[in-house]
Amino acid sequence: MDGSNSKLFTFLEKTLMGPLGKLAQFKIVRAIMGAGMGAIPFTIVGSMFLVFNILPMTFPFLEGIFNSTFFRVSELYMLANSTTMGILALYFCVGLGYEYTKIIAEEEDLNMAPITGALLSLFSFFMAIPQLVMENGSMIRLTDAEQDIINGWAIGADGVARLGTVGIFTGIIMAVIAVQLYRLCVAKNWVIRMPEQVPEGVSRAFTALIPAFLVAFVVLILIGILVAFNTDIFQLVAVPFGFVTQLTNSWLGVMVIYFLVHALWLVGIHGANIIFSLITPITLGNMALNADGAHLPLAGEFNNAFVTVGGSGATLGFCFFLVYMAKSEQLKVLGKAALVPAIFNINEPLIFGVPLIYNPYLALPFFLAPMASASIAYFAVQLEIIRPVIANMPWPSPVGVGAFISTGGDWKAAVVAIVCAVVAFIIYLPFIRSYDKRLLKEELANIEGADTAA
């Protein structure tokens, strides 16, 4: 038993901890994580206005009141939604440009200003947005009234369509290109340096001049080549990233995600930070699509609303067991300390205190509980038993509350979240009892040993 478990952890360390641990150290991965975290507060604020706007769908008795009051000015307050979820690619592009430049500057000791990296990223992204076509040997901006494309700019419900979720991955790529070109200029000293007496703001403006020209030339050449081949960056990016998105939206893809998250946790790596930093652009994009009528399960805070209730591993029921049912004094004390954080989806006290990492007795339920919860919630959305996630809730929302908010007030979603938590607890129960008995025996043996010695 112990040997096979040792082999399991060795296997996980070699196959997952090494490669994914290295992946997590890449500058671009950390920058994407920072950009996603930076965008989340704005998506939460914008989502709350959307939830408010659809309350009459959940509570029909409010419809008359809303029609005569709030809905008269809904175009005003819904600006908070359209200027967050409607231009999500902008937040990612600017945030990534800033974070990526900051990381490179600090770790490579280069005189790069994060604000300049952010602005260069925005500059390159905006150049990629207008749609150009070849006509009679000349490049012109596309105008198509049927597709709401005016002078190259496709117009959607919230404004320029490509600034929304369809532009997230292009925004990320353009930010990487811009920052790398900026880095090249600084590393090669291709910058205009001003005397020390010149104010910092003025000096920074001239320092960014050559990088801006280089970004313009490189991006325009890239765009020109693609237009000559009757495509553009958005269409090119849509192929591989569209495949990845479809994969993560399948049940099998969701299972792989949660397997990887918890396999990394078991060997001491924060799996949620690594995996969800990579798929946050997809989940936020899916949430915006759901708000427009799609029905995609893995969206927004699907994870904290339904799956990892109580924290990674879906340990809320586990924590309640420790407080009210455990016989081991060690587990009781730990459970009391961890209960309040667990209610708000924070369970590091359990992960490192029980511990759950490198624990062969609890490894199986640590895998199975979140995968079971994810399956229940996935099919509840897929079969349209509950609404999909359309709003970004604050991730520490307690069980049921977060699901209710994120689905726009669907009480059935709250019930499904509670069912997920109960099923996770049932999966843990036999393993916890066995582990509790094991620790109790050790504690009693230690007491008897101390009495004998006395």
Side-chain angles (χ1 to χ4, degrees):
M1 176 79 176
D2 289 342
S4 61
N5 281 313
S6 177
K7 289 179 182 179
L8 169 65
F9 290 119
T10 301
F11 172 77
L12 291 177
E13 286 178 339
K14 287 183 178 179
T15 58
L16 292 177
M17 184 177 178
L20 290 179
K22 290 178 181 177
L23 178 66
Q25 295 305 311
F26 286 167
K27 296 180 182 71
I28 183 60
V29 172
R30 287 182 284 145
I32 291 174
M33 185 188 305
M37 294 300 293
I40 283 175
F42 299 97
T43 61
I44 291 175
V45 171
S47 296
M48 292 305 101
F49 282 92
L50 176 62
V51 171
F52 178 77
N53 212 43
I54 64 174
L55 278 178
M57 293 175 58
T58 305
F59 306 106
F61 64 87
L62 294 175
E63 187 172 353
I65 299 172
F66 272 58
N67 284 335
S68 59
T69 55
F70 300 114
F71 286 164
R72 291 181 181 272
V73 292
S74 66
E75 290 298 327
L76 173 63
Y77 64 74
M78 282 301 288
L79 286 174
N81 180 264
S82 60
T83 54
T84 50
M85 300 307 303
I87 57 172
L88 201 54
L90 273 185
Y91 289 90
F92 263 93
C93 182
V94 173
L96 178 57
Y98 186 94
E99 293 288 340
Y100 196 25
T101 304
K102 183 180 177 183
I103 291 170
I104 291 174
E106 291 175 352
E107 298 186 6
E108 298 185 19
D109 195 26
L110 294 174
N111 187 21
M112 298 170 66
I115 186 62
T116 300
L119 293 175
L120 288 172
S121 300
L122 191 62
F123 175 45
S124 64
F125 181 45
F126 270 119
M127 281 192 287
I129 291 175
Q131 299 180 52
L132 278 65
V133 293
M134 294 293 295
E135 189 173 290
N136 299 324
S138 300
M139 290 186 188
I140 64 169
R141 291 196 181 200
L142 177 64
T143 296
D144 189 333
E146 292 183 0
Q147 298 183 37
D148 292 326
I149 302 175
I150 303 171
N151 201 25
W153 298 83
I155 306 302
D158 296 320
V160 179
R162 286 185 163 185
L163 294 179
T165 56
V166 296
I168 289 177
F169 291 113
T170 301
I172 289 173
I173 289 173
M174 299 313 295
V176 172
I177 291 173
V179 172
Q180 283 295 338
L181 290 173
Y182 179 29
R183 172 184 171 277
L184 175 66
C185 288
V186 175
K188 298 293 184 180
N189 205 25
W190 298 343
V191 293
I192 300 173
R193 298 196 181 277
M194 304 297 289
E196 293 182 2
Q197 295 80 5
V198 176
E200 184 180 351
V202 177
S203 178
R204 187 187 301 128
F206 279 92
T207 302
L209 193 59
I210 293 177
F213 269 114
L214 183 60
V215 168
F217 283 129
V218 170
V219 172
L220 290 175
I221 291 170
L222 175 61
I223 292 170
I225 292 172
L226 293 176
V227 172
F229 283 95
N230 198 31
T231 186
D232 64 18
I233 295 174
F234 280 81
Q235 295 175 42
L236 204 65
V237 167
V239 177
F241 286 105
F243 172 76
V244 173
T245 301
Q246 289 298 320
L247 187 65
T248 57
N249 286 336
S250 67
W251 175 78
L252 181 60
V254 171
M255 292 299 98
V256 170
I257 288 169
Y258 284 102
F259 172 82
L260 291 175
V261 168
H262 293 88
L264 287 170
W265 262 125
L266 280 176
V267 289
I269 294 179
H270 200 306
N273 272 358
I274 296 175
I275 303 302
F276 284 107
S277 68
L278 298 175
I279 67 168
T280 292
I282 296 174
T283 57
L284 289 179
N286 286 349
M287 182 176 69
L289 293 174
N290 286 342
D292 290 333
H295 220 82
L296 302 169
L298 189 65
E301 284 290 349
F302 172 86
N303 176 57
N304 288 307
F306 297 104
V307 184
T308 56
V309 177
S312 293
T315 56
L316 183 62
F318 184 143
C319 196
F320 275 101
F321 176 93
L322 300 187
V323 176
Y324 297 107
M325 300 172 67
K327 299 293 190 293
S328 162
E329 287 300 319
Q330 175 186 332
L331 293 181
K332 278 184 181 180
V333 171
L334 181 62
K336 290 175 183 178
L339 183 59
V340 173
I343 292 173
F344 297 98
N345 297 332
I346 300 168
N347 71 339
E348 276 76 4
L350 291 183
I351 286 179
F352 298 105
V354 171
L356 288 169
I357 59 172
Y358 287 104
N359 190 327
Y361 305 101
L362 298 174
L364 189 58
F366 191 69
F367 274 119
L368 294 180
M371 293 174 77
S373 298
S375 298
I376 293 169
Y378 178 92
F379 287 110
V381 175
Q382 192 77 356
L383 299 174
E384 300 189 15
I385 297 171
I386 62 175
R387 292 183 203 156
V389 173
I390 62 168
N392 219 19
M393 68 173 198
W395 67 265
S397 301
V399 58
V401 176
F404 180 80
I405 293 172
S406 61
T407 55
D410 187 352
W411 64 268
K412 290 181 290 185
V415 173
V416 168
I418 294 170
V419 169
C420 288
V422 171
V423 169
F425 172 66
I426 292 171
I427 290 172
Y428 270 108
L429 190 56
F431 296 91
I432 307 170
R433 281 179 170 165
S434 175
Y435 189 64
D436 181 41
K437 289 178 181 177
R438 182 184 182 89
L439 289 186
L440 180 61
K441 286 181 180 178
E442 291 179 1
E443 289 172 4
L444 293 175
N446 289 336
I447 292 171
E448 289 176 2
D451 289 345
T452 302

